[in-house]
Amino acid sequence: METERLRLGRFTAEDVDLLVELDSDPEVMRFLTGQPTSRAEIEGVVLPEILAVYAEHPELGTFKAEDETGFVGWFGMQPTKDPATVDLGYRLKRTAWGNGYATEGTVALIEEAFTELGMEWVVADTMAVNHRSRAVMRRSGLRFARLYHEYFEDPLPGTEFGEVEYALDRQTWEAGRRA
């Protein structure tokens, strides 16, 4: 898949270093785990899980994002319990922040979900205090759906304010395209 400035493709077993570099930045991981992901976890858990989703759901998964300079992060379109719904997400290198890539890639995934994959809903979630990701969701056309609380044994700062879910259904998306 390509956008105006991004190429999205599958990760391979050789992409460990890209994921280690991305997940080693504490600011990138701030609202996710709060700490870098170890190389061992990327090699033994993260990358194998990414590759397993491709095998089970060929159109879905976590897609490597590149611009003209190279790797900038990833965008995800994950399966959910409902086969007509996908869960969107992204993770970008800090050097890619502020360039509109998050919105550009998310809009492309929404269009792919509705036009090519026949999905009825797309959803995305983040910590309520993650205002930058919430802004990306709004700019991408997703709408606030709910605030909810999860229990975490080792919660990140801000967890007490909850998680938010944004969503968009096919009918609303289509109406927006016609407007």
Side-chain angles (χ1 to χ4, degrees):
M1 181 185 322
E2 289 192 18
T3 69
E4 184 179 328
R5 300 176 297 161
L6 297 171
R7 288 176 315 284
L8 304 180
R10 287 183 169 196
F11 281 99
T12 68
E14 288 76 44
D15 290 325
V16 171
D17 289 339
L18 297 176
L19 292 168
V20 169
E21 177 189 4
L22 179 63
D23 283 16
S24 68
D25 184 336
E27 276 302 301
V28 169
M29 302 305 290
R30 178 176 173 201
F31 295 109
L32 301 164
T33 62
Q35 60 190 11
T37 308
S38 70
R39 173 177 279 282
E41 185 172 348
I42 287 173
E43 288 176 334
V45 178
V46 174
L47 190 53
E49 286 178 357
I50 289 172
L51 300 177
V53 172
Y54 298 154
E56 190 171 338
H57 304 276
E59 304 89 5
L60 304 178
T62 303
F63 303 102
K64 177 172 42 176
E66 298 174 306
D67 69 3
E68 73 281 351
T69 67
F71 179 71
V72 295
W74 59 253
F75 288 87
M77 187 162 44
Q78 304 299 333
T80 67
K81 292 178 186 175
D82 177 357
T85 302
V86 288
D87 188 349
L88 304 181
Y90 65 90
R91 188 172 305 166
L92 298 175
K93 292 168 59 173
R94 199 176 343 172
T95 56
W97 293 2
N99 294 315
Y101 287 159
T103 301
E104 184 176 326
T106 301
V107 166
L109 290 183
I110 291 169
E111 184 170 344
E112 177 82 2
F114 290 135
T115 62
E116 301 299 321
L117 303 180
M119 295 295 161
E120 293 299 322
W121 283 92
V122 294
V123 298
D125 58 73
T126 190
M127 292 178 69
V129 296
N130 190 346
H131 300 290
R132 292 182 79 181
S133 280
R134 293 180 73 172
V136 167
M137 292 176 196
R138 287 190 300 274
R139 283 192 303 271
S140 300
L142 300 170
R143 297 176 176 187
F144 177 80
R146 67 184 177 117
L147 169 71
Y148 63 98
H149 293 270
E150 289 189 25
Y151 172 77
F152 297 96
E153 292 207 13
D154 188 17
L156 297 174
T159 299
E160 66 273 19
F161 298 106
E163 305 286 319
V164 289
E165 179 181 76
Y166 283 70
L168 182 62
D169 66 282
R170 173 196 291 282
Q171 185 176 3
T172 303
W173 178 78
E174 287 175 347
R177 288 185 64 161
R178 289 191 299 269

